[in-house]
Amino acid sequence: MARNLQSGGRLRPVDLARGHGLSTQAVRNYEEAGILPAAGRTAHGYRTYTPLHAAALRAFLALVPGHGHRQATAIMQAVNRDALDEAFRLVDESHAQLLDDRRTLQAVERALRDLDHAPAPGAGAAPEAGRGAGRGAGRSADAPSGPGGTFIGPLAGGLGIRPATLRKWERAGLVRPHRDPLTGYRVYDEADVRDARLVHQLRRGGYLLEQIAPLIHQVRAAGGLEPLESTLSDWHGRLAARARAMLAGAAELEAYLRERD
C-alpha cells in the first residue's frame, strides 16, 4: 500500500500536463477518475501533486496504446485502490485478447491457403431438396435463372456438409444467397461461394460462428480475398505494435508500483 503519497517535491497540475502535451483539466479529470492518486491541497485549496502522481500518469499513458483507454483506466483504478490482483487480471485479459487476435490471424491465413488449393464447388445441379417442387414449369430446375450461380445442393456437396448447415450459416449472416425469381430457390453467387468456403475452413479450425462473423465482414469490406490478403501484413504490424506497447506499458506500470512501495 502506498504510504505518504505527498512526500517528495510538489508539482502543480501544469507541471504534470506540460510534459505530456495535456491540458491541466485533463490531469484533474484523470485524478477524479481514479487514474491518479488523490492530490494534496494547499492552504488556499490548490491541488498539489508529487513524483508519485507523475509516475502514475506515465504508467497510464503508456498502458493506453496496448490496452485501450477503458482497460488502462480500470488497471490504474485497481492499482490505486490496492486491488493488485484485479489489476493483474485486467493486464492478463489484454494479453489473452492479443493472443486470441494472433490466433485468428493465423486461422485466416491458413484458411486462405486452403482455399487456394481447394476445388471450387460445382455450379448448377440439384436445387433445394424437398422445396419448390413444381415451380418454374417450362424451364430446367438444374440451373439458376442468372449466370454464375449455384444452388444449395451442389454447394453443400462440394464442401462436404449438409444443406441445413448452409441454412444455419445464412441465419447467422455468414452467407447471403439471393432467391431465384422464378423458382424461389436459394442461389449462391461467386461471393457467396467464397464466403461459404472461408466459413467452412474456419469451422474446421474450431472457430465458433460468432468468431467467424467479423472475419467475413472484413472479407466483404475488403472486396474479396485478394484485397484481404494484401492487408494481412498490416494486420501483423498492428499486432506487433500492440505487443510492444504492452511491454512499454508493463515497464511503466512496474515503475509506478515500485514508487508506491
Side-chain angles (χ1 to χ4, degrees):
M1 181 173 179
R3 296 181 296 276
N4 192 18
L5 293 184
Q6 300 306 315
S7 63
R10 284 186 177 182
L11 299 170
R12 301 166 300 168
V14 68
D15 297 324
L16 266 66
R18 187 179 292 143
H20 300 284
L22 300 173
S23 66
T24 55
Q25 184 59 51
V27 172
R28 289 192 287 267
N29 291 344
Y30 289 157
E31 180 197 344
E32 291 170 4
I35 294 168
L36 306 182
R41 296 280 181 164
T42 68
H44 299 287
Y46 294 111
R47 286 178 171 86
T48 61
Y49 296 106
T50 70
L52 181 68
H53 294 89
L57 182 58
R58 287 193 301 270
F60 172 69
L61 295 177
L63 287 168
V64 169
H67 297 266
H69 192 280
R70 179 181 297 180
Q71 193 80 340
T73 297
I75 292 168
M76 294 301 296
Q77 289 170 336
V79 169
N80 289 329
R81 65 174 184 268
D82 295 312
L84 293 186
D85 284 346
E86 173 68 7
F88 296 150
R89 183 190 65 79
L90 292 167
V91 170
D92 291 343
E93 278 185 358
S94 292
H95 283 280
Q97 182 61 59
L98 178 62
L99 180 59
D100 188 57
D101 290 347
R102 196 177 298 282
R103 286 171 173 162
T104 298
L105 173 56
Q106 291 170 344
V108 171
E109 290 177 322
R110 285 195 302 270
L112 294 178
R113 287 195 300 268
D114 291 342
L115 288 179
D116 285 339
H117 298 96
E128 301 182 51
R131 302 191 61 183
R135 294 181 186 174
R139 65 180 293 273
S140 170
D142 288 345
S145 58
T150 184
F151 286 125
I152 194 169
L155 178 57
L159 294 174
I161 61 176
R162 299 171 57 192
T165 300
L166 279 171
R167 296 189 188 104
K168 181 179 180 180
W169 294 352
E170 180 182 348
R171 290 193 296 273
L174 303 179
V175 289
R176 302 184 297 190
H178 65 277
R179 295 282 181 164
D180 186 289
L182 298 179
T183 66
Y185 297 141
R186 290 173 173 84
V187 179
Y188 299 80
D189 62 19
E190 184 177 346
D192 298 321
V193 172
R194 173 204 68 203
D195 293 347
R197 293 170 68 195
L198 184 55
V199 172
H200 182 51
Q201 294 294 343
L202 292 170
R203 288 291 289 141
R204 289 177 61 188
Y207 282 81
L208 303 176
L209 297 185
E210 55 266 30
Q211 295 172 307
I212 296 172
L215 303 178
I216 297 300
H217 175 74
Q218 285 182 319
V219 172
R220 290 172 181 158
L225 294 175
E226 277 192 31
L228 181 63
E229 288 182 39
S230 68
T231 68
L232 292 181
S233 61
D234 292 337
W235 195 347
H236 276 288
R238 289 194 300 272
L239 292 180
R242 277 173 58 196
R244 292 198 65 172
M246 285 183 180
L247 289 176
E252 291 293 349
L253 181 61
E254 170 61 18
Y256 177 51
L257 292 175
R258 287 198 304 269
E259 283 281 330
R260 287 176 58 82
D261 291 338

